Structures are given as C-alpha cells and as structure tokens.
Amino acid sequence: MIPQTILVPTDGSPGAQAAESMAAELAGVMGSATVKVVHVIPMSCLYGDVSLENVVQVKQVNYVACTLDQRMGADKLVADATARVKAQVESAKVNVVGKVLESPSPAEAIMEEAHADGTCSLIVMGSRGMGGFRRLALGSVSNSVVHGAHCPVMIVKTDE
Amino acid sequence: MNQRILLATDGSASARSAEAMAVNLCNHMGRCTLEVVTVIHPQVEKAAYSRAHPYGAYSSRADVTEAERLLSEVGDRIRAQLTNPEAKVYEQLLEHDSPAKAIVEEAEATGECGMIILGARGLGGFESLALGSVSSQVLHAARCPVLIIKE
C-alpha cells in the first residue's frame, strides 16, 4: 500500500528543498524505499523554421531542444539535490537516485515519471517553485500535479 | 517531521484510501499519534450564543449520531489494523460551518502537526472533479504538509 518509490520534483527552490527533507524523512520511516529526485527542463515550442538542427518532436509538435548549458545546469541541480537527500536519509536501506527529464510540461513529465512502469510513487513536492507569484499558496506545477496525478501527492510548504 | 498525524474522514471512498495510508505510515513510525476527525456543519439555527455551539447553531441530533458512528467505525477499523503498539489513535468530532477551516485549525491548534492526510474528493460534489473543494481549501490554507490520496 505504501508506495516503494518517493518521487521528489525539484528546481532547487526553498519549497523544493523542504520537500527533499520531507522525502528523506519519509523514506527513513518507510524503511526500504527509493527516493527519486527529478528535475524537468521545460522545452519551448518552436514556431516557423524547423530546419534548425536542435528540434525535438513531442506529440507532433516541434520544440527547441535544451542547450548544453541548460543540460549541465540541470545535471548539477539534480546532483546537488541528490547529495542533500542522501545526507539527510538516516537508513542505509534507502536508495537515492537522480534523473533529469525534458518536457514541454513539467507537471506532465512529473506525473508520467510517477506512473512509470505501472507503479505508483508517492510524490512529495513544494507548494511553489522558482517561477510564479509569491502570494500564490500553490504554484501552477504543484496545482496540476495534485489535480492530475493518480498517486498520493504530498505538498510541503515553507515559511518565508 | 512531527509525529502527530491528522486524518480527515467523511466515509467516502477516497477517505478510505487515506485511512489505509495513515495506518500504514503509523505502523512504520515509532511513537505517534493519529487523530481522526470528521466535521459536521451545524444546521439548526439557535438564538443565543453558547460555549458549546459558538457558531450560533445546533447540529441536529441525527447528524451528531451519524458522525459519531462514522468516527467510531473508522477508529475501530484503524485500531484493528495497527501493529505499532506505540501508536495512539483518538477520534474527534468537529462542528464548523467550514470543514476545511475546522480541519486546518484542529491540525495547527497545538503547533505540532506532522501532516494532514485526506482523500482527494469527499462525498459531496461532482465525481469528475479531481480535487474536491474541502481538499483544495485545506491544501491552500494549511501550513503543515498535506498528503492527498486518490481513490
């Protein structure tokens, strides 16, 4: 019943870091879980000239592939977050892995990852990421995930 | 994480799933407290203010009986499944005109809420809604972590 994988979407924001800590703690409580730290690189839609070399097609729509800088930044972000989670996990049985995803929609990528291989993860995420308005209690990505995901979702807030 | 978990229930299918998740978490934890709450909306108007009914309205006897029955049913089911001897369960009936406010206030009253667990959608409302109004309001208002469980 308790999902064996805890999925933590992160963008390095304070809210995401609070979620990372919570995930580490829950994984410790649950014993032998895997914590999967993911970051999604948002892809932007490509209009007009598709003869450029860095075009990615998703569901028949063209997108600009991420740049090397973006990719390296994301890799570093995930590596840092994974290290933070590892440092906070008390149990040696907990496996911490990192993954970088690329998608036009971060929320959809998070949900697909959570539902991957027919399993259902527990998603633990911050209420609001880097983007958006501070006064919003729930950011757009968290909102979409909480509405759309079939698996349990935990939203963690930060006091700031 | 604080070891106090608040489980909000209304007897709906997603509340049942939330209940299972709460039991499972408690079984994995050490010493912990699971507070099971349900909220009834006072319906009957009352003239004078009283301490027991600060919202100026009484709940009908039938509503209270029904809610108490639900709470004890859920409480018994949880106790039957708990394998952690250090887990304490208690039930609390809340009366409030806003269920979400009641849940958040109760969770944060003592300042030591570990998390609120509740189903995505309760008995009221449309089946097609992914997230019911109470869950949505709790999610926005609560300062402690909120775990939303789908059916």
Side-chain angles (χ1 to χ4, degrees):
Chain A
M1 175 58 207
I2 281 197
Q4 280 306 294
T5 305
I6 301 179
L7 187 78
V8 197
T10 185
D11 62 356
S13 64
Q17 291 198 25
E20 289 164 13
S21 304
M22 178 49 100
E25 208 167 341
L26 277 175
V29 165
M30 283 152 56
S32 56
T34 300
V35 179
K36 200 191 264 180
V37 181
V38 297
H39 174 69
V40 188
I41 307 176
M43 292 194 289
S44 27
C45 209
L46 180 69
Y47 300 99
D49 187 10
V50 288
S51 61
L52 295 166
E53 66 271 32
N54 51 347
V55 175
V56 183
Q57 223 182 29
V58 183
K59 291 173 188 158
Q60 282 136 26
V61 181
N62 293 313
Y63 294 93
V64 185
C66 69
T67 62
L68 189 59
D69 272 3
Q70 272 181 308
R71 187 80 204 181
M72 281 164 66
D75 284 344
K76 180 168 183 323
L77 197 148
V78 167
D80 289 351
T82 309
R84 274 196 299 269
V85 174
K86 270 188 187 147
Q88 289 174 69
V89 169
E90 283 161 17
S91 165
K93 283 188 286 181
V94 178
N95 188 23
V96 186
V97 293
K99 191 169 183 181
V100 176
L101 305 169
E102 241 183 286
S103 169
S105 155
E108 261 176 44
I110 291 165
M111 289 187 275
E112 267 169 32
E113 189 64 30
H115 302 149
D117 352 297
T119 60
C120 197
S121 313
L122 165 63
I123 305 178
V124 180
M125 65 192 302
S127 56
R128 197 161 30 73
M130 286 293 199
F133 300 102
R134 289 217 154 189
R135 65 190 160 80
L136 278 184
L138 208 59
S140 63
V141 179
S142 311
N143 196 45
S144 304
V145 170
V146 116
H147 279 86
H150 299 302
C151 47
V153 181
M154 179 185 259
I155 298 290
V156 182
K157 305 214 176 161
T158 39
D159 298 310
E160 35 147 357
Chain B
M1 177 172 57
N2 211 297
Q3 312 303 321
R4 180 168 168 261
I5 296 176
L6 187 130
L7 169 70
T9 184
D10 64 353
S12 62
S14 74
R16 279 290 284 267
S17 305
E19 187 185 311
M21 176 61 98
V23 168
N24 246 306
L25 270 176
C26 282
N27 280 340
H28 283 84
M29 290 164 89
R31 189 205 303 263
C32 62
T33 311
L34 177 60
E35 180 176 352
V36 186
V37 302
T38 195
V39 189
I40 48 176
H41 187 166
Q43 300 285 356
V44 185
E45 289 300 322
K46 177 180 168 284
Y49 174 89
S50 84
R51 206 184 163 84
H53 303 281
Y55 299 98
Y58 277 122
S59 300
S60 71
R61 194 63 233 161
D63 281 357
V64 175
T65 313
E66 173 64 20
E68 280 171 347
R69 191 196 53 74
L70 171 71
L71 272 183
S72 70
E73 191 185 302
V74 173
D76 290 347
R77 205 157 48 215
I78 289 174
R79 281 188 197 89
Q81 291 169 54
L82 269 186
T83 53
N84 176 4
E86 286 186 301
K88 264 191 270 176
V89 184
Y90 66 99
E91 298 99 326
Q92 181 79 40
L93 177 60
L94 305 174
E95 275 184 273
H96 204 295
D97 48 1
S98 157
K101 255 191 198 156
I103 292 165
V104 173
E105 277 172 13
E106 181 67 21
E108 293 177 351
T110 54
E112 50 185 36
C113 178
M115 71 174 87
I116 300 174
I117 305 184
L118 77 171
R121 194 165 31 75
L123 286 176
F126 303 100
E127 293 223 344
S128 57
L129 277 184
L131 204 60
S133 62
V134 176
S135 314
S136 179
Q137 285 167 34
V138 168
L139 198 52
H140 281 81
R143 298 176 67 182
C144 60
V146 179
L147 179 54
I148 302 272
I149 312 287
K150 308 251 166 120
E151 214 178 298

